Amino acid sequence: MISLQLYRKARYRIDISIDLDDIQQRIYTEGEWHPADNATAYGVTSANSAIIDRRVTEAVNDLLTRLGGYLMGHNVNLNLDSENIVLAIGLATRPAPTLQEQMKEAIVTAIANYVLMSLYGDEESIYGTAWRLWRSRVMLLLARASR
């Protein structure tokens, strides 16, 4: 019921476009040093792109369920050259000029940490903690923008 009310009150809309390359770059950067720190871990490289894409899809689906009340529409297509993930967020009040960029940064970081968590640990790992932190940041940004 709450999500329906939020959607009805939406007078403003921001579109967030995310390239898969941005997410992969975060994952690969982190994946380079992790095996050096942990001898049992394998490195995440572009050779693992099929696994990475599957995990990115899982992360996006998880995030979409959490954004339910704010989400006016979305398009996820990892086969495109750019703008692989597009989210239309509805807000009741005028958003701050920096909200779109802050949301993009938080979403990219949350997705990257979800993928790293699923590859290198569990929810109790450093990546699991970072995933929950950035996922919460996304929700806090939306809550502040909707007051």
Side-chain angles (χ1 to χ4, degrees):
M1 289 296 197
I2 293 172
S3 63
L4 220 66
Q5 292 170 351
L6 288 172
Y7 182 74
R8 285 187 194 154
K9 291 181 181 179
R11 295 186 333 188
Y12 299 95
R13 173 183 161 158
I14 60 170
D15 292 331
I16 300 167
S17 298
I18 300 171
D19 292 343
L20 182 60
D21 291 341
D22 294 340
I23 298 168
Q24 288 175 336
Q25 186 59 42
R26 295 265 170 102
I27 294 166
Y28 297 152
T29 301
E30 186 74 17
E32 284 178 12
W33 74 265
H34 191 79
D37 188 46
N38 181 353
T40 62
Y42 60 92
V44 178
T45 64
S46 57
N48 309 104
S49 64
I51 295 168
I52 300 297
D53 290 353
R54 270 197 312 270
R55 301 293 169 88
V56 166
T57 302
E58 290 173 16
V60 169
N61 289 336
D62 177 80
L63 203 55
L64 291 175
T65 60
R66 295 173 194 284
L67 295 176
Y70 297 98
L71 205 58
M72 296 177 76
H74 67 280
N75 184 18
V76 179
N77 186 345
L78 301 184
N79 295 321
L80 296 175
D81 290 336
S82 64
E83 295 186 1
N84 304 94
I85 302 166
V86 179
L87 306 173
I89 307 287
L91 300 168
T93 58
R94 182 183 308 272
T98 60
L99 180 64
Q100 189 171 8
E101 192 56 40
Q102 289 175 334
M103 286 288 297
K104 180 179 178 179
E105 174 71 17
I107 290 170
V108 167
T109 307
I111 290 171
N113 279 295
Y114 178 95
V115 172
L116 289 163
M117 175 197 68
S118 67
L119 294 172
Y120 290 136
D122 55 17
E123 286 196 36
E124 303 306 318
S125 68
I126 188 171
Y127 300 115
T129 303
W131 168 60
R132 288 192 308 275
L133 171 82
W134 285 97
R135 185 183 69 192
S136 298
R137 173 105 172 111
V138 169
M139 299 312 293
L140 281 171
L141 286 168
L142 288 173
R144 284 186 189 142
S146 295
R147 49 183 167 133

